[in-house]
Amino acid sequence: MGEIDSINEEEIIMLQAQAQISKYMFAFVDSMAIKCAVELRIADTIHSYNGQKITLSQIATNIHSSSSPHMDYLFRLMRLLVRRKIFTASTSQDGDTLYGLTPISRWLLHDSELSVAPMFLLQTNPIIMSPWHWFSNCIKEGGIAFKKAHGCEIFEMASKDDELNNNFNNGMNSMTKCIMREVIKVYKDGFNSITSLVDVGGGIGAAMFEIVKAYPHIKGINFDLPHVVLRAQKFEGVDHVEGDMFEVIPHADAVFLKWVLHDWGDEDCVKILKNCRKAIPIKTGKVIIVDAVLKLEGEGLFDDVGFIMDLVMIVHTSGGKERTEDKWNKLLKEAGFPRYNIIEISAWPSIIVAYPQ
């Protein structure tokens, strides 16, 4: 019998707790290991062999470097990522270890239409990560962690730092493609009924492009700050318009808000929503919001992500938060939207359709 059999139940519970807290203590190592694999394009290398599993040497050969890759380090990286089920490992007839993709690593392919690789690089960017070290300070005395770390807010820094701006836009663009696939599939009847749509805070236009591509009868307006629109790609059927959503929003049959309101506190959200109300017809207009609806006891596939993102909002925004349905109800009524409908999709946000009448 092993040593663990000789200890009592309370000691077993404490040992299990110690093991669990140790995993949390070093959880950042998993993120950094995956980031390393993304930067080295390991998933892309394996994918380039047309479904075949490949050796460590084949992976190393495809790593662009001024010198030979450190094979022991690479082996140890892959060993952990196999354990985390990011990659598979099997033994060939020759005794070589062969590595393959899993459903998880397929989300890390750079050139895939649906990829979270750019968002992974954004969230693990040192500029984005350093504000987390100010989190406890924010709880003690308030304030914005990002500003405490960098002396300005995230959107201000992005407007001045081209590399961060590109990193931010590319990350949001990659997640937008993933989410919009679900939004368009579930809300198809809702898009059929409108002829013009303005995407407020639409970034470089990824969401509007997906909507107009699926519904070419819609005249799309991608609306964002000047430094963001400057990077937007030209899409047929989409006009890029620069401006400030706190001042005025272009007129359309409907307004689309994806991951915008969670960046702001209640007072700012009311201002944005009131401007949305002015931009749409009172009788037939609507605002289509794509944001999380927190379920306090939720055990769905993506429910945890909403609570994680809620803390991201504390660290990276000035008052941003994820909201329960009760909070959404209060916010929408205060902004002049007495009626709304929540539509769940297979992703961490939901669709909230708000009506001015």
Side-chain angles (χ1 to χ4, degrees):
M1 300 292 285
E3 182 180 343
I4 196 168
D5 296 320
S6 64
I7 61 179
N8 61 40
E9 183 178 351
E10 183 178 351
E11 289 174 319
I12 291 174
I13 291 172
M14 290 306 295
L15 280 174
Q16 291 172 335
Q18 182 187 21
Q20 191 64 46
I21 202 66
S22 297
K23 289 181 181 179
Y24 290 143
M25 187 189 312
F26 294 107
F28 72 93
V29 176
D30 288 344
S31 296
M32 292 298 101
I34 296 172
K35 177 188 181 182
C36 179
V38 172
E39 290 177 331
L40 298 177
R41 292 180 173 260
I42 292 175
D44 299 89
T45 294
I46 299 173
H47 183 67
S48 70
Y49 281 79
N50 299 316
Q52 296 181 16
K53 297 180 180 180
I54 65 175
T55 65
L56 197 70
S57 295
Q58 287 173 306
I59 293 173
T61 300
N62 286 274
I63 293 175
H64 299 293
S65 174
S66 58
S67 60
S68 299
H70 196 295
M71 295 302 291
D72 181 57
Y73 291 173
L74 180 60
F75 165 73
R76 288 152 69 182
L77 170 68
M78 294 302 292
R79 181 170 61 185
L80 176 66
L81 294 180
V82 167
R83 190 173 179 86
R84 295 292 182 265
K85 296 181 171 34
I86 308 298
F87 299 106
T88 64
S90 57
T91 304
S92 70
Q93 292 181 344
D94 299 330
D96 292 327
T97 300
L98 299 176
Y99 298 95
L101 298 177
T102 68
I104 298 175
S105 49
R106 291 186 181 278
W107 283 99
L108 302 177
L109 296 171
H110 285 79
D111 297 327
S112 173
E113 184 179 356
L114 297 178
S115 170
V116 300
M119 179 57 92
F120 210 100
L121 293 177
L122 172 63
Q123 294 302 327
T124 52
N125 183 313
I127 293 174
I128 299 299
M129 293 192 70
S130 61
W132 286 99
H133 296 287
W134 294 86
F135 191 16
S136 60
N137 186 274
C138 286
I139 290 176
K140 287 190 290 185
E141 59 186 44
I144 305 165
F146 194 94
K147 191 170 184 178
K148 290 176 184 289
H150 298 298
C152 64
E153 296 187 33
I154 186 169
F155 295 119
E156 182 184 352
M157 177 173 279
S159 70
K160 300 173 182 177
D161 185 325
D162 284 344
E163 185 176 350
L164 176 62
N165 189 39
N166 287 334
N167 197 188
F168 185 88
N169 289 334
N170 290 337
M172 295 303 295
N173 189 46
S174 70
M175 288 302 295
T176 291
K177 288 181 179 179
C178 300
I179 299 300
M180 287 308 299
R181 181 178 66 167
E182 295 300 319
V183 171
I184 289 170
K185 180 172 68 176
V186 173
Y187 195 60
K188 55 186 178 181
D189 292 337
F191 289 121
N192 276 328
S193 64
I194 58 178
T195 58
S196 61
L197 180 67
V198 55
D199 185 359
V200 174
I204 58 176
M208 186 55 70
F209 170 68
E210 296 296 330
I211 293 170
V212 170
K213 183 172 65 172
Y215 302 94
H217 71 278
I218 294 178
K219 176 188 176 183
I221 302 169
N222 180 58
F223 181 69
D224 213 315
L225 295 168
H227 76 273
V228 178
V229 172
L230 184 66
R231 304 286 181 181
Q233 298 178 5
K234 292 183 178 180
F235 302 121
E236 186 176 352
V238 178
D239 292 329
H240 298 293
V241 178
E242 63 180 52
D244 187 340
M245 62 187 174
F246 288 103
E247 295 179 1
V248 64
I249 291 171
H251 289 274
D253 292 341
V255 169
F256 189 74
L257 288 163
K258 178 185 62 61
W259 296 334
V260 172
L261 298 180
H262 77 163
D263 287 334
W264 303 96
D266 292 347
E267 185 177 340
D268 284 328
C269 284
V270 169
K271 291 178 183 177
I272 296 167
L273 285 167
K274 283 184 176 180
N275 283 341
C276 290
R277 193 172 187 273
K278 294 174 184 177
I280 58 176
I282 292 298
K283 292 184 178 180
T284 60
K286 58 187 173 182
V287 174
I288 305 162
I289 301 165
V290 178
D291 248 323
V293 179
L294 293 182
K295 299 177 182 177
L296 299 183
E297 305 298 329
E299 296 183 0
L301 194 60
F302 293 96
D303 282 339
D304 266 3
V305 181
F307 291 94
I308 292 169
M309 288 301 298
D310 186 45
L311 298 193
V312 173
M313 294 302 104
I314 295 175
V315 171
H316 289 156
T317 69
S318 56
K321 64 182 77 173
E322 305 295 353
R323 296 172 169 91
T324 61
E325 182 175 351
D326 286 345
K327 296 295 184 181
W328 279 115
N329 180 31
K330 181 180 178 182
L331 196 69
L332 291 169
K333 284 184 177 177
E334 188 175 346
F337 293 90
R339 188 165 58 93
Y340 68 90
N341 183 33
I342 295 176
I343 304 168
E344 295 188 359
I345 61 176
S346 299
W348 64 266
S350 296
I351 302 171
I352 308 165
V353 187
Y355 304 93
Q357 282 193 353

